[in-house]
Amino acid sequence: MTALSEAEPSSASTLRRTTLAAAIGNTVENYDYAVYGFVAAVLAKNFFPDATPGVALLSTFAVFGAAFVVRPLGGLLLGPVADRLGRRPTLVLTLIGMAVVSTLIGLLPTTETIGIAAPILLVVLRMLQGLAAGGEYGTAIIYAAEFAPAHRKGEMASRVQMGSLAGLLIGAFVVVGLNLSLSATAMQSWGWRVPFLLALPLGAIGLYLRSRLGETPEFVAVRGRIQEQPPVDRRVRRALLLIGVAATHAVGFYLAFTYVQNLIIQLHFSAVTATAVVGCALAVGIGLVLAGGRLSDRIGRRRALLIATAVILVASYPLMAALTAASNPWLLALCAVLLAAGPSFYSGIAPITYIELFPVHSRGTGVALGFNVAVAIFGGSVIYATQWLVQATGDNRAGAFVLIGSAVLSGLTALALNGVLVPSAPQRSTAVTPEPV
């Protein structure tokens, strides 16, 4: 396999290679995040052993959120790199950072060994992981979309998002396998380290694929040219619109695929059952992500977003209620799959929407900063906030209201997108002329 040259035409083989290389970084990123969520109960005992079980779990989720707090800084640092030096070097840099930090978490001594330094180092490593992830997602979806033909940009961006769910699914399989093959004592002692250490070979595969990449045709076309920046108020408006669109993307993603796993354990099912159920939801969700991207190419981003948010608004509460009342694993799996369906479909539409909010020359910075602010606000807090809300109210269905609230915000934002997007594909008769950028 030869390396892609800069601005190579978008043949079918080129699209496959670029989307695979772009998606694998998101696979590694979300594998790391998923593993942390799936072994949260084990981490709580190893790094917060003196706390009560509920407080220890909250503390572990707070550390989980630490990576999200610094993601905007990562976007601020790495987004301009993508706009000035290129998409390719940024993708290589972010992948190395994520794989190395995850490996270090797997090697970290516990509180029993080094005392208070253990949770402190865990927080530091999670923050470094967040810095690297801050430049990963936005650059990856931009890379795939900028290689794609106009009528398939939504589909190609959604394929990168599929990599995100694939990372969670791989994490689920690894953790289920460990729980089935190891005793609870072994899992608590050393088994939890294995999935973190596996990030290193995954990262090596991704690094090889990304080393074969060239630059995107759209970036090459504007590189080195002096570009007039739009007024600050217009850039701020577009960033706020991205944050609004991303609300449901972030909340739905982490609630459906990370929080639900811990909720199932709290409902007195085994950790193996909980992770297997989430794995089923992920497997179905991967297909729905692609369906969302394809629909956005056919009917436009705004209409597709409105359809997805409407489904989430109507379905979230009854599905969460059914999930918390389920009495057997099969019914539990069905409810989890249906609960995750709306957010999965939505997350296939959102990526291309982010991209089309910004022109090529400022796209890396705009998408990275806006998306990571949204993830810091909504993604990093959703697990902690939902767990707190459940404990405060005693109602396991409380997570539905968090998801519904995000869908309301994103739906209102989608209504405000009329005439704002810079379309990458020809729109139907309902399309309007975008405002200048």
Side-chain angles (χ1 to χ4, degrees):
M1 183 173 66
T2 58
L4 292 174
S5 60
E6 290 198 348
E8 181 179 331
S10 299
S11 64
S13 62
T14 298
L15 290 179
R16 284 194 298 269
R17 290 164 64 184
T18 54
T19 53
L20 176 60
I24 196 166
N26 282 284
T27 300
V28 173
E29 173 191 346
N30 286 278
Y31 170 83
D32 294 343
Y33 278 57
V35 163
Y36 188 97
F38 290 147
V39 299
V42 178
L43 292 175
K45 295 177 182 178
N46 276 317
F47 289 91
F48 303 98
D50 296 329
T52 61
V55 173
L57 190 59
L58 280 174
S59 299
T60 306
F61 284 150
V63 176
F64 179 82
F68 295 89
V69 173
V70 299
R71 281 186 67 141
L73 179 58
L76 187 63
L77 294 173
L78 295 169
V81 173
D83 285 332
R84 294 171 187 171
L85 300 182
R87 318 314 193 195
R88 178 185 178 277
T90 308
L91 290 175
V92 171
L93 182 61
T94 57
L95 183 57
I96 292 173
M98 291 184 301
V100 169
V101 172
S102 182
T103 303
L104 291 175
I105 291 176
L107 298 172
L108 193 63
T110 64
T111 300
E112 183 180 0
T113 303
I114 60 172
I116 191 64
I120 292 174
L121 287 173
L122 181 61
V123 172
V124 170
L125 290 175
R126 284 290 297 167
M127 293 178 75
L128 291 174
Q129 200 171 45
L131 283 175
E136 167 61 35
Y137 179 79
T139 308
I141 60 172
I142 289 169
Y143 190 90
E146 288 183 350
F147 258 109
H151 66 285
R152 296 184 65 190
K153 287 185 179 291
E155 177 188 345
M156 293 302 109
S158 72
R159 289 189 178 188
V160 178
Q161 180 65 32
M162 290 170 66
S164 299
L165 269 68
L168 296 185
L169 185 58
I170 293 170
F173 276 129
V174 169
V175 173
V176 166
L178 287 169
N179 278 305
L180 288 174
S181 58
L182 298 177
S183 66
T185 302
M187 191 67 185
Q188 187 72 43
S189 176
W190 58 269
W192 65 271
R193 299 180 183 277
V194 174
F196 290 105
L197 297 175
L198 287 177
L200 192 60
L202 282 175
I205 295 170
L207 187 60
Y208 171 77
L209 291 173
R210 288 187 171 182
S211 70
R212 317 294 292 177
L213 297 178
E215 264 307 341
T216 72
E218 291 185 28
F219 178 79
V220 170
V222 304
R223 182 169 54 187
R225 297 183 182 180
I226 298 175
Q227 302 286 343
E228 182 179 353
Q229 292 291 340
V232 173
D233 61 335
R234 188 171 295 158
R235 280 180 281 167
V236 171
R237 179 192 177 197
R238 289 174 182 272
L240 290 174
L241 288 171
L242 190 155
I243 292 170
V245 172
T248 297
H249 185 178
V251 170
F253 189 85
Y254 290 104
L255 191 144
F257 299 124
T258 301
Y259 172 75
V260 162
Q261 194 258 3
N262 288 281
L263 173 62
I264 293 171
I265 293 174
Q266 293 175 52
L267 295 173
H268 307 296
F269 290 91
S270 70
V272 172
T273 297
T275 309
V277 164
V278 173
C280 292
L282 286 165
V284 175
I286 288 173
L288 290 172
V289 168
L290 183 60
R294 287 178 170 173
L295 181 67
S296 76
D297 283 332
R298 292 180 58 118
I299 68 173
R301 322 307 181 197
R302 181 171 172 268
R303 291 172 62 189
L305 289 172
L306 289 171
I307 290 171
T309 52
V311 170
I312 293 170
L313 282 171
V314 172
S316 294
Y317 185 81
L319 288 173
M320 183 65 81
L323 177 73
T324 57
S327 57
N328 66 76
W330 296 108
L331 181 58
L332 197 68
L334 176 62
C335 293
V337 166
L338 293 176
L339 181 65
S344 298
F345 188 77
Y346 184 94
S347 69
I349 307 162
I352 189 60
T353 309
Y354 307 149
I355 294 169
E356 293 180 354
L357 279 166
F358 299 94
V360 176
H361 65 275
S362 62
R363 187 171 284 164
T365 303
V367 173
L369 189 55
F371 178 74
N372 285 297
V373 168
V375 171
I377 295 172
F378 300 109
S381 63
V382 63
I383 298 178
Y384 184 94
T386 305
Q387 179 68 24
W388 177 86
L389 190 60
V390 167
Q391 289 190 200
T393 63
D395 186 355
N396 286 323
R397 299 165 294 183
F401 298 110
V402 177
L403 188 54
I404 288 170
S406 71
V408 170
L409 175 58
S410 294
L412 292 174
T413 305
L415 291 173
L417 292 176
N418 194 29
V420 175
L421 297 181
V422 183
S424 297
Q427 302 294 312
R428 302 284 178 113
S429 59
T430 54
V432 295
T433 303
E435 68 178 32
V437 295

